[in-house]
Amino acid sequence: MALKIIMDTDPGIDDAAALTMAINDPAIDLKLVTAVAGNVTVDKTTANALKIVHFFGKENEIPVAAGAKQPLIKPFEDAARIHGASGMPGYDFGDDYGHAIEKSAVEALHDEIMAADEPITLVPTGSYTNIAILFSQYPEVKNNIKEIVAMGGTLQEGNMTSAAEFNCFTDPHAAKVLYDSGVPIVMVGLDITLKALLTADTLDKLAGLNKTGEMLHALITHYGDGGAEGIPMHDVNTIFYLLHPEAITTKEMWVDVQTEGPAMGETVGDIRGAYHDGKTNAKVCVDIDAAAFNKWFLEEIGSIKD
């Protein structure tokens, strides 16, 4: 039976690739996509989610809902310098890609989670604002969530400050709500996403696979992240974890989120288990088989029928 998931996302180029995997892999049943302000403003992230869903002809099967326009407290700061002004430059999706449903992201999340006949998996790949509001307004949903596989955080150096990764920096107060929620969490952070780089060889092969490969190649070559060693597909690692956990090393620990001062957004892991009476609140991804990730990435895209 396919794993039922909801993606809360802010497309974004790597989000688009993660959505592509979630929509097309038969082992995953994507029930809902909710958009949040992050890489670009929420009107653009919602439009970009709709574009990907429509690209695969799933607009009548996978609803898209618009969510939070700004973080809970902190002023909004986008990543257009990395993802471009639209969030997904490089490919023409046309103008006829449908509309978001009338429900807000929080209402849609509540209804989908509570209607599920078994606990559902949440996969946030943007800031966690929608989920923080959901938990505040509808705490009962926690009982029907299997786990949260969240892209974000780092135990090492950040990519917004020396301490903070982008998703947690964007809304640190929401990140704290997430990690304090009591729901099982898998932290898919920079500790692995900066190791699982798409190589030049992978990128060279991508465009020739099919129409999907052509689309993703066009987006990724407009991505302002990465360097000579390769290009990180941060959000795609969440889907890789769901499908191939054996390729990722994890360590259970307690993770705290800093919400004030120059370390705002930092995720601090109690790596010695010394400060929370031995309790843990997250399974943190600490290593990954990068070659397996590249092989899987091409196989996933290559299996999609035009």
Side-chain angles (χ1 to χ4, degrees):
M1 183 179 295
L3 177 67
K4 295 179 181 179
I5 75 169
I6 294 171
M7 290 192 69
D8 185 70
T9 182
D10 64 339
I13 291 166
D14 54 332
D15 307 77
L19 281 168
T20 294
M21 306 303 194
I23 289 169
N24 289 286
D25 194 292
I28 291 177
D29 181 7
L30 180 59
K31 308 299 292 185
L32 170 70
V33 178
T34 53
V36 67
N39 287 320
V40 285
T41 56
V42 74
D43 57 325
K44 294 178 181 178
T45 63
T46 303
N48 291 341
L50 288 165
K51 289 173 184 178
I52 296 297
V53 171
H54 180 265
F55 182 87
F56 295 109
K58 299 292 185 179
E59 58 269 27
N60 294 323
E61 300 173 40
I62 303 172
V64 175
K69 298 180 179 180
Q70 58 190 22
L72 296 178
I73 297 172
K74 179 181 172 290
F76 176 57
E77 182 178 345
D78 69 22
R81 69 192 187 286
I82 301 295
H83 294 266
S86 72
M88 289 191 340
Y91 188 86
D92 184 6
F93 290 91
D95 298 321
D96 185 18
Y97 46 80
H99 303 279
I101 61 176
E102 292 186 5
K103 290 180 185 178
S104 70
V106 169
E107 295 299 325
L109 284 163
H110 168 268
D111 292 353
E112 190 64 48
I113 292 167
M114 297 306 292
D117 55 8
E118 61 185 47
I120 202 159
T121 298
L122 294 187
V123 184
T125 62
S127 66
Y128 313 135
T129 314
N130 289 337
I131 296 173
I133 296 170
L134 174 73
F135 286 172
S136 175
Q137 294 184 359
Y138 302 107
E140 66 272 16
V141 302
K142 297 178 186 179
N143 295 323
N144 213 28
I145 297 173
K146 178 182 178 182
E147 66 178 353
I148 300 173
V149 178
M151 193 278 131
T154 179
L155 298 180
Q156 301 180 54
E157 184 174 338
N159 59 2
M160 286 299 286
T161 67
S162 61
E165 175 276 333
F166 176 75
N167 286 345
C168 291
F169 179 85
T170 298
D171 196 340
H173 300 87
K176 180 171 175 55
V177 170
L178 187 80
Y179 279 92
D180 289 349
S181 68
V183 178
I185 296 171
V186 180
M187 183 175 118
V188 183
L190 301 182
D191 307 284
I192 67 165
T193 70
L194 292 179
K195 294 177 181 177
L197 303 176
L198 290 189
T199 65
D201 182 63
T202 296
L203 195 58
D204 286 345
K205 293 175 179 176
L206 184 61
L209 292 176
N210 49 27
K211 183 180 177 182
T212 301
E214 180 184 346
M215 178 269 289
L216 288 177
H217 184 273
L219 296 182
I220 293 168
T221 52
H222 283 77
Y223 193 29
D225 204 354
E229 294 183 357
I231 299 174
M233 288 282 101
H234 303 286
D235 300 331
V236 181
N237 286 262
T238 59
I239 307 302
F240 186 60
Y241 171 84
L242 290 173
L243 297 173
H244 294 286
E246 74 282 355
I248 295 176
T249 303
T250 62
K251 183 177 180 180
E252 295 200 19
M253 66 183 72
W254 189 281
V255 174
D256 284 306
V257 181
Q258 302 304 300
T259 58
E260 305 295 337
M264 179 182 290
E266 181 180 16
T267 42
V268 181
D270 183 3
I271 58 174
R272 295 190 296 119
Y275 303 108
H276 296 85
D277 299 321
K279 296 178 182 177
T280 63
N281 65 352
K283 187 184 293 184
V284 180
C285 299
V286 295
D287 203 4
I288 189 169
D289 186 336
F293 178 83
N294 273 267
K295 181 174 181 289
W296 168 82
F297 191 94
L298 289 175
E299 289 174 348
E300 284 281 296
I301 302 306
S303 70
I304 298 171
K305 303 291 191 254
D306 285 341

